[in-house]
């Protein structure tokens, strides 16, 4: 099985008036806050989704970090550096939001490192050329925004609030990516080819970011009933394609899909889905960079142990001093 099955209700007592009242609050559009009663399944689903989202932000720094020292100009380098730092910030807000549900960041990190928690499939693809920095910003951040804007209205207060700031920063990220693509697409023949190749490599992995098609999505139904997730995977994928195809046309680049055509009746594009066999393979750990990404995270975790120990010792010392002074 490629997904973690989380039961909606885990104790019989939750099948009661409290659960019905909880659902009524959700249906009325109220926000659920950390101290409110919530079904165990809701809590665990949020930890799964917010934790995975946080891991994606952190692991997502690696493919772009790869290009900081090789950016073509000082200006591009500072912009890329700022973007990668933003991703670290996003990871931190999200870990904090998940911690309000009774799990620690250390526990989540250990779950990532021993592969009990996932991160977005997209970050298991390599960034081979500078144009990939354009494609990541334009397509990957573009897909992320499409998914995250509705999450600003998600039912869990701390997650919804984290999303507001994250979305503002993501839209800057998307524009910086488009700007790189625009420059390359209007540059020399070699630069245009580099931009086209980046689009060719990132198009289908970007479509995979929205998750499996609705018929294969195991969590969507319950997630949407709890308003943890606001839209189906296919609906957001369609919106992304409809928004992005005209942008590719503006750039003079070709979306690598010969079946792509406008469907007047549905008011959207018909398009080819990604290779779902490849998607499931990647999320099971067999993508081109899965091993490398996890190795990098394990190394950072191990090498950062002395910093965590030092911070903890400092906090304990401060607490001891405060207690002595108060005595
Ligand atoms: N990759 O039932 P489904 C960013 C898993 S980072 C990997 O549809 P759900 C950025 C899914 O977790 C933005 N796994 O699940 C950062 C589940 O497995 P588990 C990241 C995937 O939760 C740096 C199973 O497949 N965004 O912007 O209803 C630089 C069944 O799927 C993927 C978020 O995390 C995938 N693509 O819907 C640049 C958004 N898709 O957990 C940019 C928040 C599915 O049972 N997350 N799976 O083991 C969501 O909105 C939802 O969790 C998803 C999946 C739409 C992704």
């Amino acid at each position: 099985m490629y997904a973690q099955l989380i039961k909606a209700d885990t104790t019989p007592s939750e099948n009661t008036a409290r659960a019905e009242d909880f659902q009524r609050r959700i249906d009325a559009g109220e926000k659920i806050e950390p101290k409110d009663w919530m079904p165990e399944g809701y809590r665990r689903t949020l930890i799964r989704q917010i934790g995975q989202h946080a891991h994606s932000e952190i692991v997502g720094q690696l493919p772009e970090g790869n290009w900081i020292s090789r950016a073509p100009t000082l200006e591009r380098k500072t912009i890329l550096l700022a973007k990668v730092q933003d991703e670290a910030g996003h990871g931190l807000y999200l870990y904090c939001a998940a911690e309000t549900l009774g799990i620690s960041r250390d526990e989540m990190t250990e779950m990532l490192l021993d592969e009990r928690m996932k991160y977005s499939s997209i970050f298991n693809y390599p960034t081979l050329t500078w144009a990939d920095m354009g494609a990541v910003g334009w397509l990957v951040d573009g897909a992320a925004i499409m998914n995250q804007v509705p999450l600003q209205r998600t039912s869990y207060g701390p997650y919804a609030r984290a999303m507001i700031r994250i979305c503002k920063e993501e839209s800057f990220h998307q524009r910086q990516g488009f700007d790189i693509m625009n420059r390359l697409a209007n540059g020399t023949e070699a630069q245009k080819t580099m931009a086209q190749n980046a689009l060719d490599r990132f198009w289908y992995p970007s479509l995979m970011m929205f998750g499996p098609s609705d018929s294969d999505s195991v969590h969507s139904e319950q997630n949407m009933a709890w308003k943890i997730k606001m839209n189906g995977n296919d609906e957001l994928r369609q919106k992304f394609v409809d928004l992005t195809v005209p942008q590719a046309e503006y750039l003079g680049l070709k979306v690598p899909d010969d079946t792509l055509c406008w469907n007047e009746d549905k008011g959207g594009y018909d398009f080819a889905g990604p290779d779902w066999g490849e998607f499931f393979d990647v999320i099971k750990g067999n993508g081109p960079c899965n091993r490398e990404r996890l190795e990098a995270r394990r190394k950072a975790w191990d090498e950062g142990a002395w910093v965590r120990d030092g911070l903890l010792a400092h906090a304990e010392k401060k607490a001891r001093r405060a207690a002595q002074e108060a005595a």
Side-chain angles (χ1 to χ4, degrees):
M1 187 62 192
Y2 71 92
Q4 306 165 52
L5 295 179
I6 292 175
K7 280 189 167 166
D9 284 304
T10 48
T11 61
S13 63
E14 287 178 0
N15 280 325
T16 59
R18 280 222 290 197
E20 282 169 25
D21 185 50
F22 177 83
Q23 191 61 48
R24 257 194 303 277
R25 291 187 63 197
I26 299 270
D27 295 341
E30 276 183 49
K31 290 276 176 271
I32 306 300
E33 297 298 339
K35 288 187 176 160
D36 294 347
W37 182 87
M38 60 186 80
E40 182 56 18
Y42 178 83
R43 192 182 70 83
R44 284 198 280 135
T45 297
L46 279 170
I47 290 176
R48 180 186 64 80
Q49 179 165 323
I50 304 173
Q52 289 182 174
H53 195 161
H55 296 325
S56 303
E57 302 283 357
I58 298 298
V59 177
Q61 294 177 99
L62 296 170
E64 289 178 292
N66 179 34
W67 279 91
I68 291 173
S69 59
R70 290 180 284 162
T73 66
L74 184 60
E75 192 190 8
R76 291 287 184 202
K77 187 188 181 101
T78 47
I79 294 171
L80 185 60
L81 194 57
K83 178 188 190 297
V84 172
Q85 283 175 339
D86 284 352
E87 308 301 357
H90 298 176
L92 299 188
Y93 317 144
L94 289 163
Y95 284 128
C96 289
E99 282 185 320
T100 64
L101 293 153
I103 187 165
S104 72
R105 184 171 154 192
D106 286 10
E107 282 173 276
M108 286 181 278
T109 304
E110 276 154 19
M111 288 169 84
L112 167 74
L113 299 184
D114 63 22
E115 300 177 49
R116 280 176 293 141
M117 263 179 129
K118 295 185 171 77
Y119 57 89
S120 183
S121 51
I122 189 75
F123 303 117
N124 292 308
Y125 291 86
T127 45
L128 303 177
T129 69
W130 172 250
D132 289 7
M133 294 304 94
V136 168
W138 172 38
L139 301 174
V140 175
D141 286 277
I145 296 170
M146 192 56 80
N147 167 277
Q148 289 172 179
V149 165
L151 288 178
Q152 295 176 110
R153 290 179 288 111
T154 190
S155 59
Y156 189 56
Y159 192 24
R161 290 189 287 275
M163 277 301 130
I164 293 171
R165 176 156 176 190
I166 291 178
C167 284
K168 287 201 173 104
E169 292 176 350
E170 296 291 21
S171 67
F172 153 67
H173 297 171
Q174 195 269 351
R175 276 176 293 168
Q176 70 84 38
F178 189 79
D179 187 61
I180 293 175
M181 291 305 265
N182 197 21
R183 185 65 79 86
L184 294 175
N186 290 292
T188 63
E189 266 318 299
Q191 286 172 320
K192 187 166 181 179
T193 304
M194 205 200 294
Q196 180 63 54
N197 288 342
L199 169 57
D200 292 348
R201 278 182 286 107
F202 275 92
W203 177 253
Y204 288 103
S206 300
L207 297 187
M208 293 175 192
M209 285 178 72
F210 297 95
S213 67
D214 294 345
S215 53
D216 288 324
S217 167
V218 289
H219 300 299
S220 278
E221 195 182 339
Q222 181 61 69
N223 261 0
M224 286 168 75
W226 276 332
K227 294 192 184 162
I228 289 176
K229 183 167 163 177
M230 309 302 287
N231 310 77
N233 299 352
D234 289 329
E235 181 191 350
L236 292 180
R237 194 171 7 253
Q238 178 74 53
K239 278 191 172 174
F240 171 74
V241 171
D242 293 345
L243 196 83
T244 310
V245 169
Q247 295 173 352
E249 282 166 2
Y250 176 86
L251 292 171
L253 300 177
K254 184 182 178 305
V255 170
D257 177 357
D258 291 334
T259 69
L260 189 75
C261 70
W262 179 256
N263 180 330
E264 199 60 52
D265 294 338
K266 78 171 180 189
Y269 286 92
D270 288 333
F271 62 95
D275 175 348
W276 291 116
E278 176 182 319
F279 168 77
F280 290 120
D281 221 29
V282 171
I283 67 171
K284 278 188 208 140
N286 304 317
C289 298
N290 294 58
R291 217 154 293 157
E292 185 184 328
R293 301 293 184 234
L294 278 181
E295 256 334 291
R297 291 312 309 147
R298 285 193 187 106
K299 186 165 177 283
W301 185 243
D302 292 345
E303 290 179 358
W306 69 274
V307 180
R308 295 192 298 278
D309 291 347
L311 287 173
L312 210 60
H314 179 66
E316 280 164 5
K317 196 166 78 183
K318 249 174 89 177
R320 249 195 329 271
R321 273 202 198 131
Q324 278 163 4
E325 278 165 22

